[in-house]
Amino acid sequence: MKILQSSEIERVEELEKIPDPSRRRFFQLAGGMAGAGLLFAACHPVTKPTDIYLGKGDIALLNFLYVLEQLEADFYTKAVTGAYLGISSNEYLALIDVRDQEIAHREYIKSLLGPTNISKPVITNFSGVNFADRASVLQNASVLEDLVIAGFNGAAGLFTDTAYPLSFLKLVSVEGRHSAYFRDALSHNNFADTTVVDINGLNQSMPPLAVLTTAQQFLTSRFDSSNLPQ
Amino acid sequence: MDLRNILSEIGKTDPEVYERLSSRRNALKSFGSKVAVAALPLAVASVFNKAYGKTTSVIIDALNFALKMEYFECNFYIQANSITSLGLIPAADQPGFNAIEAHERAHVKFLISTITALGGTPFTPNYYADHTSAPPYIPLAYDYRASSNTVYAPLFNNVFSDYHTFLIAAQTFEDSHIRAVNGQMATWAGNAVFSQMQQLLATEGRHAAFIRLIRRNLGAIAAPEVPAPWINNNIPPSFPAGSSVTSGNIVLQPFYNGEENTMQSGVDISMLADTASTSGYVPVLSASAAFDEPLSQTTYNNLITPFILP
């Protein structure tokens, strides 16, 4: 019989605190069975004890969007602090504007979450970005913005409480503005090419988990998305 | 048909039907033996209204309003793009406006097919003659100069010959289009159309930013307008210094009223912490710019009526 590793036990204890009867029952059942560790691994193949649990249902979706907005806010904070050499005043002001707008989005979603927000700090990893280089900043900003829009679009239909997506669509068109700005600044007229707008003229949408997986390239933190609606 | 069967059937395609109804037990409790048979149709309707919010006809009406807006914009760009030989749009910006026209054409088609699929009759503009090939170009339906209107006529008189005027009109139309679609979104809440219309909104946001960026790069913007791809406060586009139009800001102000809002779901965004800003809070300008505000159908219709021929 495999004994649960201490880290796994901690993980189970942590999960025990989550007020989710089905989850709790699962682990009570798993704990009492031979080969529990194997079962654990089979059910959560990618989850590690250090992963940040997003929650379930609407809370998981909100925390998912909260992670995306944290990612953006941190990116632009770094982009403004280490602004590339020879940046024009217009581009510098735009970076400051976008930074403050993303901070507004981040803090707004955090306030909606209240005590259910993931309190653990989300650690970003922008090692692939050269903040001293204009093209690198604009390119990565475009990638981030497009990903975030796709994430909001993918999450919109998954909420139980439709008041959440209703309030977010007001910021989705603003994210569209951001993306178009960075794309066009990088390559004029390229603000809405066929990689982000489909044949119906609709902006790309992606399931939350796919967005989170893609966003991982900018993140050191890892997430337990086992109860993230799909 | 038994209600249990109806709910069960819906549950196969919409597993959340019971959550929408708060709980299966409550839903079924409403239909206990005490409910009079005569009262049942109404009761059934109320349960489904509770679950899905709006009736199909209300959803279709709002989609038709969206279609009306798309026709308006689509025809504007078709007209502008077709007169490039006269030098309205510079060659460097032409690909962008071609892309916008293509998107608006696609939106018209998308909305027509969505409305038809829902069993509705798609809106058609005045003077729309061809119902078989569905070409969205109906030049007789619109007067983008608003030449018979005393308020807008001086402003948009050169809309297809002066690039600044064209861009100001385009920006105003795009921004108010976003706001008016935004104002309809609650109607589609809980319906599959909601996500698609949100996707459409994001595309329109891209258009507005492109036009605003061109105006910023032209450097032809007068105070108090802050050159930006997003809507700062409720500031309308300004005509460049030296323009014969001096009252542009005042005339276009109604398109932007309400954009200064900083309250979202009871949260004052300008009171949220922002350690990067000098005040320690989200700047008021950013708090307003971070969210596009809705316009009601009535307000939007009043704003664009001068551009639609009777």
Side-chain angles (χ1 to χ4, degrees):
Chain A
M1 179 179 165
K2 185 180 183 296
I3 306 297
L4 283 174
Q5 297 300 305
S6 62
S7 61
E8 288 173 334
I9 293 167
E10 277 169 26
R11 172 73 188 150
V12 171
E13 282 169 356
E14 193 187 332
L15 288 165
E16 288 282 354
K17 293 172 194 160
I18 299 158
D20 175 357
S22 65
R23 213 177 161 84
R24 208 160 45 229
R25 269 201 307 278
F26 170 74
F27 284 104
Q28 280 163 357
L29 181 67
M33 286 171 70
L38 192 66
L39 183 64
F40 182 86
C43 293
H44 295 277
V46 294
T47 301
K48 294 192 184 71
T50 50
D51 291 355
I52 300 173
Y53 180 59
L54 293 173
K56 61 177 285 194
D58 284 2
I59 289 170
L61 290 167
L62 288 171
N63 272 320
F64 158 68
L65 298 173
Y66 182 43
V67 169
L68 295 183
E69 292 293 353
Q70 290 191 58
L71 196 52
E72 285 190 313
D74 198 44
F75 177 86
Y76 295 113
T77 301
K78 288 184 165 63
V80 169
T81 308
Y84 45 86
L85 207 62
I87 188 170
S88 71
S89 62
N90 268 344
E91 289 196 345
Y92 188 59
L93 288 172
L95 280 180
I96 291 174
D97 270 5
V98 177
R99 177 199 68 193
D100 287 330
Q101 289 172 33
E102 301 299 7
I103 288 173
H105 293 167
R106 181 191 71 196
E107 294 302 309
Y108 172 60
I109 296 174
K110 186 184 178 187
S111 73
L112 291 179
L113 276 159
T116 57
N117 84 80
I118 42 169
S119 49
K120 284 182 188 168
V122 171
I123 313 295
T124 56
N125 170 17
F126 294 120
S127 57
V129 182
N130 181 1
F131 287 103
D133 177 58
R134 179 177 182 271
S136 177
V137 170
L138 297 178
Q139 172 65 33
N140 283 287
S142 309
V143 169
L144 261 177
E145 295 285 351
D146 288 340
L147 194 59
V148 170
I149 299 166
F152 271 95
N153 288 343
L158 299 172
F159 279 98
T160 302
D161 184 348
T162 54
Y164 290 123
L166 258 176
S167 78
F168 293 147
L169 61 94
K170 296 167 91 176
L171 64 84
V172 169
S173 53
V174 174
E175 299 288 5
R177 292 172 186 270
H178 293 170
S179 167
Y181 165 68
F182 290 113
R183 285 175 144 265
D184 200 87
L186 187 65
S187 172
H188 188 42
N189 296 312
N190 197 36
F191 56 95
D193 67 18
T194 51
T195 61
V196 286
V197 177
D198 72 11
I199 194 152
N200 287 318
L202 306 184
N203 195 105
Q204 185 187 23
S205 172
M206 282 166 72
L209 192 59
V211 170
L212 199 60
T213 305
T214 310
Q216 201 63 56
Q217 62 180 303
F218 299 116
L219 288 158
T220 299
S221 297
R222 300 192 71 87
F223 301 90
D224 174 356
S225 54
S226 52
N227 283 327
L228 180 65
Q230 295 297 326
Chain B
M1 192 179 193
D2 190 279
L3 179 78
R4 285 171 183 81
N5 291 340
I6 296 173
L7 289 174
S8 159
E9 283 299 311
I10 294 174
K12 286 174 189 165
T13 51
D14 182 356
E16 277 144 28
V17 64
Y18 296 116
E19 282 180 44
R20 291 178 199 280
L21 290 160
S22 73
S23 81
R24 182 193 175 96
R25 201 176 301 120
N26 284 346
L28 295 179
K29 205 158 60 186
S30 319
F31 294 91
S33 56
K34 285 171 189 167
V35 178
V37 173
L40 206 57
L42 186 67
V44 168
S46 80
V47 165
F48 286 107
N49 275 342
K50 190 183 172 195
Y52 293 98
K54 305 288 177 185
T55 63
T56 308
S57 74
V58 173
I59 288 169
I60 290 169
D61 286 350
L63 287 171
N64 265 326
F65 173 55
L67 178 56
K68 175 188 172 172
M69 292 189 263
E70 294 292 350
Y71 268 118
F72 177 73
E73 284 207 330
C74 185
N75 277 270
F76 177 67
Y77 292 113
I78 294 174
Q79 207 160 325
N81 286 337
S82 66
I83 55 171
T84 48
S85 56
L86 300 175
L88 174 68
I89 298 171
D93 301 339
Q94 191 61 60
F97 284 101
N98 290 345
I100 293 179
E101 180 190 323
H103 293 156
E104 309 297 15
R105 281 179 184 270
H107 290 167
V108 169
K109 281 188 200 166
F110 166 73
L111 287 169
I112 287 175
S113 63
T114 303
I115 291 163
T116 307
L118 288 170
T121 307
F123 163 89
T124 50
N126 293 340
Y127 310 103
Y128 182 83
D130 189 343
H131 292 259
T132 48
S133 59
Y137 186 41
I138 311 113
L140 287 173
Y142 307 101
D143 172 15
Y144 296 104
R145 293 183 176 82
S147 45
S148 62
N149 184 277
T150 52
V151 178
Y152 294 113
L155 206 60
F156 290 117
N157 201 32
N158 299 321
V159 70
F160 292 124
S161 56
D162 173 58
Y163 197 40
H164 290 301
T165 306
F166 168 73
L167 291 171
I168 286 169
Q171 176 179 323
T172 306
F173 294 155
E174 291 287 352
D175 284 341
S176 51
H177 181 191
I178 292 166
R179 300 187 62 191
V181 172
N182 195 320
Q184 297 301 306
M185 292 296 288
T187 308
W188 302 310
N191 190 287
V193 168
F194 183 93
S195 297
Q196 292 176 313
M197 292 309 287
Q198 179 174 307
Q199 291 174 259
L200 184 147
L201 265 180
T203 303
E204 296 295 347
R206 291 176 184 274
H207 296 172
F210 170 70
I211 293 155
R212 286 171 158 268
L213 188 57
I214 291 176
R215 291 189 60 242
R216 190 190 78 171
N217 291 341
L218 284 173
I221 289 168
E225 189 185 3
V226 184
W230 29 89
I231 308 174
N232 283 311
N233 207 338
N234 61 358
I235 303 168
S238 59
F239 279 75
S243 166
S244 58
V245 181
T246 52
S247 58
N249 309 45
I250 298 158
V251 172
L252 295 177
Q253 188 61 59
F255 286 90
Y256 289 87
N257 286 343
E259 263 299 329
E260 71 279 12
N261 178 43
T262 60
M263 294 293 294
Q264 303 297 338
S265 307
V267 177
D268 187 346
I269 304 299
S270 67
M271 293 305 289
L272 295 173
D274 176 357
T275 53
S277 88
T278 45
S279 67
Y281 297 98
V282 175
V284 174
L285 210 62
S286 300
S288 80
F291 297 84
D292 285 333
E293 297 301 321
L295 276 181
S296 76
Q297 187 165 344
T298 308
T299 306
Y300 179 85
N301 281 338
N302 288 340
L303 290 169
I304 66 157
T305 294
F307 304 99
I308 298 177
L309 290 171

